[in-house]
Amino acid sequence: MDNPIINSVDNVFILIVSISVFFLLLVTVAMIYFVIRYRKKRNPQASNITGNTSLEVVWTVIPTVLVLIMFWYGWSGFQTMRNVPADAMVIKVTGRMWSWTFDYDNGKKSDTLLYVPFGKPIKMEIQSADVNHSFYIPAYRVKEDAIPGRTNYLWFQPTMMGEFDIMCAEYCGMNHSYMLGKLIVMKPEDFEVWKNTLPKPLDTLKSDSLRVGTIPKDSLRVDTVKTTKDTVKIMQVDPKIADSVGQRKIRRMKK
Amino acid sequence: MANGTAAAHVNDVDFYHYEGKHKGIMSWLLTTDHKRIGIMYLAAIVVFFLAAMMLGVLMRIEALTPGQTIMKPQTYNSIFTFHGVIMIFLFIIPAVPAVFGNFFLPIQLGAKDVSFPRLNLFSWYLYMAGGLIALLSLFTGGGAADTGWTFYVPYSIRSSANVSLSVFGAFVLGFSSIVTGLNFITTIHRMRAPGMSWFRMPLFAWALYATSWIQVLATPVIGITLFLIVLERAFGIGVFDPALGGDPLLYQHMFWIYSHPAVYIMILPAMGVVSEIIPTFAKKDIFGYKQIALSSLAIALIGYLVWGHHMFTSGMSDTSRVVFSLLTFLVAIPTGVKVFNWVATLYKGSIEIKVPLLFVMAFIFIFSIGGLTGLVQGALATDIHLTDTYFIVGHFHYVMFGGMGTIFFAALHYWFPKMFGKTYNEKVAIISATLFVIGFNMFYFTMFILGYLGMPRRYYDYLPQYQGLHVFSSIGAFIMVTGIVLMFGNLLRGLIKGEKATANPWGGTTLEWRIASPPPLENFDEIPVVTGGPYVHDRETYIMNPIKVIHKEEEAVH
């Protein structure tokens, strides 16, 4: 499935990098060639050239045209990023030190894990509960800051099934690098089941029903547990918002 | 000079050995000689640079493995904050203007000192005070600041670390920068030797002129901004804190209104040094003097209007993002013009390949990569993906450290014989430069790849898929640091044991090469007269000791 945002970001990147590599080679090769060709031994007497107006015009005008082209493509890709399709599903994301919470339009909540249906454009409304964060999904090439007191947005289209990293990209204090999450792209029918399953109390969970690494179908929360050796972060089912099927996932993070 | 005999006496010895009113350490601490002040800046700046470099090494060791390698997250966060604060405010911003500008600007203009020598000493004290306040913040209050050198609100308001004191240190440093800028502008306007019209000034002076205007006009903005943070922390005035009705984006705007032009404060003087070194070793006039001189002003001017490109994902209006992206692309043009003119200067020269020129060649390669990757970030679509990742860290180090840092080393090797009257071992210098360049590119180029793969910056820990590249990058860092340590060791050895340098070891044409190494106290016995451009190799464009020359001519006539 074609993804307009990924395509435009990667195409603009390739365009600019190609032009850049050309100019880098031009400058570097010319410089090294001149230094060798006109070294003192081979060229004992310098010719005193102080400038050349037509050359100056050429190397002002050509780069100007090229940077305007780069700007244009960068801008048009950006327009794609900002024009949210009318049929997009809205999910509210709130960043706080140091986790993400996702709110769906039917009141469903999810911590850390962002569940979306395959193919459906998703509009993220981004807020912060404390300091600046930045909601970043590298695989989908989208990022927007979470600034307290305002709602920013981005949109993306989940055109690849599976799990993708979500990271906080704006420094937010001690555990900034642990402010991670997962984007989980599911089949639309699975998503509907997940979204419309009402939370149940913890005691109905079957914690062994899913293993680590498979796509979890639950809202999880991160708990910090102190052991004698290190602090271990346990991602486990939040009892308040847990679903019928639970999973337990342990990530050891030395602190 | 009216008092000719006294001046001749003053200039009998070099400025190190001149016995003034004060002796020993006081002859340094109370000096108003621009050369001594330049040397004092050099000593302080090198110490700060090496300290911040070691902090960088610690970060690269920590990045060798995911999870904890040698330190805890809070320590790491303070270390990258102080690496940034020291490198930016205490090394990159002042290094070239305060050391080489102070030492060589008056000499290149044919003056005996800057316009306000006492103010010049005062700015050194402000620099030291700012640096010491920043250091003091490490050991007092809630401990070392952990906000990053950008001090973004609201985190900088909420952090329990000692943010106020380190911010205050940067505030004081700002005054040092403003005062030095004022001094240079006045010196360039008022102290040029007779016959030195604007377009006969060395390009280093042009670069310092453009830089000084940015320093004077932009630094007050950061002063106000940082001071507001202190007030916000102390009294909760609510300018930036959204909980009190303030706006965090306002802070980002104000911060970058200074801090973006500040990157041109960092790079323009370095560009000036390049324009000095290339004609000296190509043994010919610079290509496109006026274009290089005016492009410095163009960069300074447009550089003022691009700050918003640091905020493309901040939630700033889409209109602003488009306008700032366009302006950002425009600033690339005068930068490109400079690079093309430098390379063209080499054409049909008679090139002597010496250490300073090698550093300049490394600079042109590295800085081109830095500049061109800037285009990737100027484009909106790609910047959204790459901002706040290692791509930015790589880009920033390519332009700032690879740009200004490499030229700081080039300038050290170029002017070392003049400043100290000693020479260094050229072979060791070449080895250290090679290690530096190889290590540098391994170190920072890897960051572009890490960034494109989505590795965010300022991460204490990282996901396991990034480890291989992190390790490679760290190895590059260790090679680079080896090169730098070897380089400083070599220069230090030259300083102690080096052979005596001649007055003009490279065959330079500007005025500093026409006086003794090291220079005498008042630089010139008589103010020289200028009859042509600064880089003319095939005829004489300066008349040294014009009064004596006129006397001789008169005698010949009679």
Side-chain angles (χ1 to χ4, degrees):
Chain A
M1 198 171 176
D2 224 26
N3 189 311
I5 292 178
I6 298 180
N7 285 349
S8 69
V9 170
D10 288 355
N11 289 342
V12 175
F13 186 77
I14 290 165
L15 172 81
I16 298 178
V17 169
S18 320
I19 296 174
S20 300
V21 168
F22 171 76
F23 276 96
L24 179 67
L25 287 178
L26 184 78
V27 164
T28 312
V29 170
M31 173 179 75
I32 293 173
Y33 173 74
F34 290 160
V35 167
I36 294 170
R37 170 63 185 81
Y38 299 109
R39 66 187 188 277
K40 206 175 179 181
K41 258 190 212 159
R42 271 191 75 175
N43 197 32
Q45 187 55 46
S47 316
N48 209 20
I49 305 162
T50 55
N52 181 323
T53 311
S54 28
L55 257 182
E56 299 284 352
V57 172
V58 167
W59 67 43
T60 308
V61 171
I62 292 179
T64 307
V65 173
L66 287 176
V67 296
L68 288 177
I69 292 172
M70 294 181 207
F71 161 73
W72 180 262
Y73 279 101
W75 180 21
S76 66
F78 178 66
Q79 281 178 319
T80 315
M81 289 173 160
R82 302 308 285 172
N83 292 331
V84 186
D87 62 335
M89 182 171 83
V90 177
I91 302 174
K92 213 178 101 185
V93 50
T94 307
R96 61 170 56 79
M97 293 154 88
W98 293 278
S99 66
W100 300 104
T101 308
F102 305 99
D103 287 282
Y104 294 78
D105 53 5
N106 67 345
K108 178 98 174 174
K109 262 180 190 295
S110 168
D111 277 4
T112 303
L113 304 175
L114 169 61
Y115 297 89
V116 295
F118 178 82
K120 176 96 175 160
I122 307 290
K123 182 187 183 189
M124 306 296 302
E125 290 187 347
I126 305 161
Q127 295 182 336
S128 165
D130 38 44
V131 301
N132 298 349
H133 304 280
S134 189
F135 182 75
Y136 181 30
I137 314 173
Y140 282 95
R141 313 279 190 270
V142 288
K143 179 189 292 130
E144 189 80 3
D145 292 359
I147 307 279
R150 58 188 296 144
T151 304
N152 289 339
Y153 73 90
L154 61 77
W155 81 274
F156 66 99
Q157 193 167 11
T159 51
M160 301 170 282
M161 292 289 289
E163 298 180 35
F164 305 93
D165 295 320
I166 293 172
M167 308 190 207
C168 176
E170 182 65 62
Y171 176 71
C172 58
M174 188 171 80
N175 284 339
H176 168 52
S177 67
Y178 295 113
M179 192 167 161
L180 305 171
K182 279 260 187 246
L183 164 70
I184 293 146
V185 183
M186 312 163 91
K187 284 187 206 149
E189 52 271 31
D190 290 349
F191 176 76
E192 284 308 312
V193 172
W194 174 82
K195 189 182 170 191
N196 295 313
T197 311
L198 288 174
K200 283 181 184 170
L202 188 63
D203 52 10
T204 62
L205 285 176
K206 294 175 199 158
S207 60
D208 56 344
S209 60
L210 280 169
R211 278 181 295 112
V212 174
T214 58
I215 298 171
K217 295 189 174 171
D218 273 283
S219 300
L220 302 186
R221 68 167 187 188
V222 180
D223 274 1
T224 308
V225 177
K226 282 206 158 81
T227 63
T228 45
K229 270 194 154 179
D230 7 75
T231 308
V232 177
K233 281 207 161 168
I234 300 175
M235 281 170 83
Q236 65 178 22
V237 180
D238 187 329
K240 293 190 201 82
I241 53 170
D243 290 346
S244 56
V245 188
Q247 78 141 151
R248 194 178 154 84
K249 193 172 180 180
I250 298 179
R251 291 182 65 201
R252 290 184 71 89
M253 288 183 184
K254 290 179 187 173
K255 275 190 66 179
Chain B
M1 181 87 206
N3 200 351
T5 45
H9 173 71
V10 159
N11 281 352
D12 281 346
V13 291
D14 66 63
F15 75 97
Y16 292 108
H17 293 95
Y18 173 75
E19 297 267 337
K21 229 192 303 184
H22 306 283
K23 304 269 180 291
I25 186 82
M26 295 315 276
S27 73
W28 287 90
L29 293 179
L30 296 175
T31 185
T32 51
D33 179 8
H34 66 101
K35 298 179 290 296
R36 285 195 173 216
I37 294 170
I39 299 283
M40 293 199 295
Y41 267 116
L42 178 64
I45 279 170
V46 168
V47 169
F48 282 124
F49 168 73
L50 292 175
M53 183 181 81
M54 290 325 290
L55 294 180
V57 170
L58 291 176
M59 282 192 277
R60 287 324 301 173
I61 294 173
E62 176 55 44
L64 281 172
T65 62
Q68 179 173 343
T69 312
I70 52 166
M71 63 180 90
K72 297 205 181 311
Q74 188 65 24
T75 317
Y76 182 84
N77 296 344
S78 297
I79 283 183
F80 78 64
T81 300
F82 271 81
H83 173 78
V85 168
I86 297 174
M87 283 297 194
I88 299 272
F89 294 108
L90 292 162
F91 172 63
I92 307 183
I93 288 179
V96 171
V99 178
F100 302 106
N102 258 319
F103 201 106
F104 290 106
L105 178 68
I107 304 181
Q108 286 195 332
L109 297 179
K112 297 193 171 184
D113 208 318
V114 292
S115 272
F116 308 113
R118 284 194 200 89
L119 204 57
N120 202 15
L121 180 65
F122 179 60
S123 76
W124 183 79
Y125 276 101
L126 284 175
Y127 171 82
M128 293 307 287
L132 293 178
I133 290 170
L135 286 186
L136 197 64
S137 76
L138 294 175
F139 309 107
T140 52
D146 60 344
T147 57
W149 76 276
T150 47
F151 300 113
Y152 267 18
V153 296
Y155 186 71
S156 58
I157 301 171
R158 307 223 172 141
S159 169
S160 59
N162 200 357
V163 176
S164 298
L165 204 56
S166 39
V167 162
F168 187 67
F171 176 75
V172 172
L173 287 169
F175 283 98
S176 166
S177 192
I178 294 171
V179 170
T180 302
L182 266 177
N183 219 335
F184 285 0
I185 291 173
T186 323
T187 306
I188 291 168
H189 271 275
R190 306 299 302 165
M191 309 276 285
R192 281 172 288 136
M196 185 176 283
S197 57
W198 282 90
F199 288 115
R200 284 179 182 172
M201 277 202 312
L203 287 164
F204 183 51
W206 267 107
L208 287 176
Y209 186 68
T211 310
S212 300
W213 274 113
I214 315 178
Q215 281 175 290
V216 169
L217 295 176
T219 317
V221 181
I222 193 80
I224 294 163
T225 314
L226 295 179
F227 194 63
L228 282 172
I229 289 207
V230 177
L231 290 182
E232 188 98 40
R233 282 178 67 88
F235 306 113
I237 53 170
V239 176
F240 301 133
D241 189 347
L244 301 169
D247 184 1
L249 284 196
L250 176 66
Y251 172 82
Q252 296 188 17
H253 277 292
M254 289 178 71
F255 181 82
W256 291 114
I257 284 175
Y258 166 76
S259 297
H260 194 80
V263 306
Y264 299 106
I265 296 180
M266 305 170 199
I267 198 65
L268 277 170
M271 291 171 157
V273 176
V274 174
S275 308
E276 294 296 308
I277 291 179
I278 291 184
T280 297
F281 293 94
K283 301 281 173 256
K284 67 182 278 292
D285 209 327
I286 192 116
F287 192 96
Y289 173 93
K290 277 194 184 171
Q291 282 77 11
I292 294 182
L294 296 177
S295 65
S296 287
L297 294 187
I299 290 172
L301 196 70
I302 308 172
Y304 252 100
L305 306 171
V306 302
W307 77 83
H309 69 213
H310 296 269
M311 302 165 61
F312 282 164
T313 62
S314 67
M316 180 173 67
S317 79
D318 290 356
T319 314
S320 295
R321 299 191 211 194
V322 172
V323 172
F324 279 120
S325 169
L326 179 63
L327 290 166
T328 302
F329 275 109
L330 295 184
V331 86
I333 298 162
T335 314
V337 165
K338 271 187 194 291
V339 173
F340 297 136
N341 278 295
W342 289 328
V343 174
T345 303
L346 296 169
Y347 177 67
K348 294 206 166 167
S350 173
I351 299 164
E352 263 189 291
I353 306 168
K354 297 274 171 145
V355 186
L357 185 68
L358 289 175
F359 270 114
V360 164
M361 291 173 70
F363 161 84
I364 289 178
F365 175 72
I366 288 171
F367 185 73
S368 296
I369 295 179
L372 293 165
T373 50
L375 297 174
V376 179
Q377 279 150 347
L380 282 165
T382 34
D383 185 74
I384 300 290
H385 173 47
L386 296 171
T387 191
D388 280 320
T389 68
Y390 264 58
F391 199 95
I392 285 283
V393 183
H395 163 72
F396 186 73
H397 284 85
Y398 260 90
V399 280
M400 288 298 111
F401 187 33
M404 187 273 153
T406 310
I407 290 308
F408 181 73
F409 301 151
L412 264 181
H413 286 85
Y414 180 58
W415 279 313
F416 186 88
K418 180 56 63 185
M419 295 175 89
F420 301 105
K422 299 277 182 69
T423 55
Y424 49 83
N425 183 322
E426 192 155 353
K427 266 185 198 153
V428 180
I430 290 174
I431 294 168
S432 64
T434 312
L435 285 175
F436 169 75
V437 172
I438 293 171
F440 181 96
N441 285 293
M442 282 172 69
F443 181 7
Y444 295 115
F445 198 87
T446 317
M447 291 188 174
F448 291 132
I449 306 167
L450 276 168
Y452 202 82
L453 296 176
M455 168 78 209
R457 69 194 289 204
R458 296 174 170 172
Y459 260 33
Y460 160 76
D461 199 354
Y462 53 82
L463 294 169
Q465 67 260 35
Y466 301 115
Q467 192 182 5
L469 288 166
H470 269 299
V471 170
F472 186 80
S473 177
S474 288
I475 294 171
F478 303 146
I479 296 173
M480 184 188 84
V481 167
T482 312
I484 293 173
V485 170
L486 186 65
M487 183 185 78
F488 277 109
N490 185 39
L491 290 176
L492 199 63
R493 196 178 165 277
L495 192 61
I496 298 162
K497 290 188 176 172
E499 287 172 29
K500 214 173 147 20
T502 56
N504 192 0
W506 317 120
T509 51
T510 40
L511 277 167
E512 76 270 30
W513 303 111
R514 292 149 192 274
I515 57 175
S517 303
L521 182 73
E522 291 195 337
N523 305 336
F524 306 99
D525 293 339
E526 293 168 26
I527 299 300
V529 171
V530 184
T531 62
Y535 310 115
V536 179
H537 279 79
D538 47 9
R539 67 192 156 85
E540 191 52 70
T541 54
Y542 295 100
I543 303 169
M544 307 303 288
N545 300 321
I547 296 172
K548 277 180 203 154
V549 172
I550 291 165
H551 277 301
K552 269 188 192 162
E553 279 169 1
E554 279 172 356
E555 277 165 22
V557 169
H558 289 299

